[in-house]
């Protein structure tokens, strides 16, 4: 079980959006590399990074900021946003990413995802962003007709390392993770699921370590960490205790 602190990049800065709206961005740190170091110092073991501009543009926009993050932290980093080709994927993995997250291309070209998993085993995650139960693409700007589980099942057996599932209707507004739909997805597929969107307090962390959520790989936290609503030490202690309990079984 992993708690992934999030660094969302807009115009080279670390921001958080409200409901995925680029016009509702709050700048939390103008230096993403410094933020990455801070998260490592707090004891986090992974880092979740999104190139927001890239998600809309369909190509990497905040590459310099991502490179700076990779130099600043020893923690493994997963990146999503604008990664649409096998060359993009190979380039980023060569530059030091542990995992790339494929979102829009997973809807537009599922065969590319399968091929990426074959070429780069263990390094490919799929991002499924849902609005009203349907998958959204192009930086959440467009809705598709695909259901969440319908899309996820296309990648069963392909070697996808994880599915990052985001409920857009809860993202950035601190209303709590949509546990019902997240666990429904986790129980429908064998691929590990990472919960995202709306993590609000330690209550979400406590819910994450309940026995019925043990199948999850973890959850992503953004605004709650930046606003001080979650104490990193306490959150990580809860997760460590759950890991110890699970290992002892």
């Amino acid at each position: 079980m992993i708690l992934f602190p999030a660094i969302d990049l807009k115009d080279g800065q670390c921001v958080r959006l409200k409901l995925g709206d680029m016009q509702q961005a709050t700048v939390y740190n103008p230096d993403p590399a410094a933020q990455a170091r801070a998260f490592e110092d707090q004891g986090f073991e992974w880092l979740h990074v999104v190139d927001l501009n890239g998600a809309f543009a369909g190509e990497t926009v905040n590459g310099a900021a991502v490179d700076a993050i990779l130099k600043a932290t020893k923690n493994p980093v997963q990146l999503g946003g604008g990664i649409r080709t096998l060359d993009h994927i190979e380039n980023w993995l060569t530059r030091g990413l542990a995992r790339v997250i494929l979102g829009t291309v997973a809807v537009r070209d599922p065969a590319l995802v399968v091929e990426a998993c074959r070429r780069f085993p263990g390094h490919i995650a799929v991002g499924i962003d849902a609005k009203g139960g349907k998958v959204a693409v192009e930086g959440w700007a467009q809705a598709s007709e695909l259901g969440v589980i319908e899309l996820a099942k296309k990648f069963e057996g392909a070697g996808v390392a994880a599915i990052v599932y985001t409920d857009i209707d809860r993202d950035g507004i601190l209303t709590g993770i949509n546990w019902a739909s997240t666990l429904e997805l986790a129980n429908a597929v064998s691929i590990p699921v990472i919960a995202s969107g709306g993590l609000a307090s330690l209550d979400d962390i406590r819910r994450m370590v309940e026995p019925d959520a043990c199948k999850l790989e973890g959850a992503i936290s953004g605004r709650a960490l930046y606003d001080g609503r979650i104490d990193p030490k306490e959150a990580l202690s809860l997760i460590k205790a759950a890991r110890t309990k699970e290992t002892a079984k």
Side-chain angles (χ1 to χ4, degrees):
M1 188 67 69
I2 302 164
L3 184 59
F4 297 79
I7 293 181
D8 288 359
L9 298 169
K10 180 177 184 282
D11 305 332
Q13 298 180 308
C14 175
V15 308
R16 294 302 294 167
L17 303 184
K18 184 177 180 181
L19 300 172
D21 185 351
M22 287 286 272
Q23 303 307 311
Q24 297 189 69
T26 302
V27 177
Y28 279 100
N29 196 328
D31 186 345
Q35 187 63 59
R37 281 191 297 271
F39 282 139
E40 183 178 331
D41 291 343
Q42 289 169 346
F44 291 100
E45 299 173 339
W46 265 84
L47 188 60
H48 175 79
V49 180
V50 179
D51 181 346
L52 294 171
N53 302 103
F56 284 91
E59 61 185 9
T60 297
V61 176
N62 288 287
V66 178
D67 284 331
I69 287 169
L70 291 170
K71 289 187 179 79
T73 181
K74 295 181 179 132
N75 282 343
V77 177
Q78 61 182 23
L79 172 69
I83 303 172
R84 307 278 172 88
T85 70
L86 291 169
D87 285 342
H88 281 168
I89 295 165
E90 185 171 20
N91 179 268
W92 273 120
L93 293 176
T94 301
R95 285 155 76 171
L97 276 183
R99 196 148 70 184
V100 299
I101 304 167
L102 304 178
T104 295
V105 74
V107 176
R108 306 282 195 230
D109 189 1
L112 184 144
V113 178
V114 174
E115 176 62 16
C117 291
R118 187 188 70 79
R119 288 198 200 182
F120 313 108
H123 296 291
I124 306 299
V126 167
I128 299 182
D129 307 320
K131 190 170 181 62
K134 296 295 184 181
V135 177
V137 296
E138 306 293 348
W140 301 354
Q142 297 178 22
S144 75
E145 292 303 312
L146 270 178
V148 171
I149 292 174
E150 180 187 358
L151 176 60
K153 285 192 170 182
K154 290 186 178 187
F155 304 111
E156 281 277 43
V160 171
I163 291 172
V164 179
Y165 172 63
T166 303
D167 184 337
I168 299 170
D169 295 318
R170 296 190 180 218
D171 190 70
I173 59 172
L174 300 166
T175 54
I177 283 174
N178 185 338
W179 290 108
S181 61
T182 301
L183 293 176
E184 182 184 14
L185 172 60
N187 289 323
V189 295
S190 61
I191 305 164
V193 172
I194 300 170
S196 174
L199 195 148
S201 68
L202 284 170
D203 286 341
D204 277 314
I205 305 298
R206 294 186 186 100
R207 181 66 186 86
M208 183 174 75
V209 299
E210 287 292 317
D212 67 333
C214 68
K215 188 177 182 182
L216 297 176
E217 181 171 294
I220 293 166
S221 179
R223 190 175 292 270
L225 280 173
Y226 291 108
D227 286 350
R229 294 168 183 264
I230 291 178
D231 176 69
K233 186 175 180 181
E234 191 170 354
L236 292 171
S237 292
L238 284 168
I239 292 169
K240 184 178 180 181
R243 284 178 183 167
T244 302
K245 186 176 179 181
E246 190 65 25
T247 303
K249 284 184 180 179

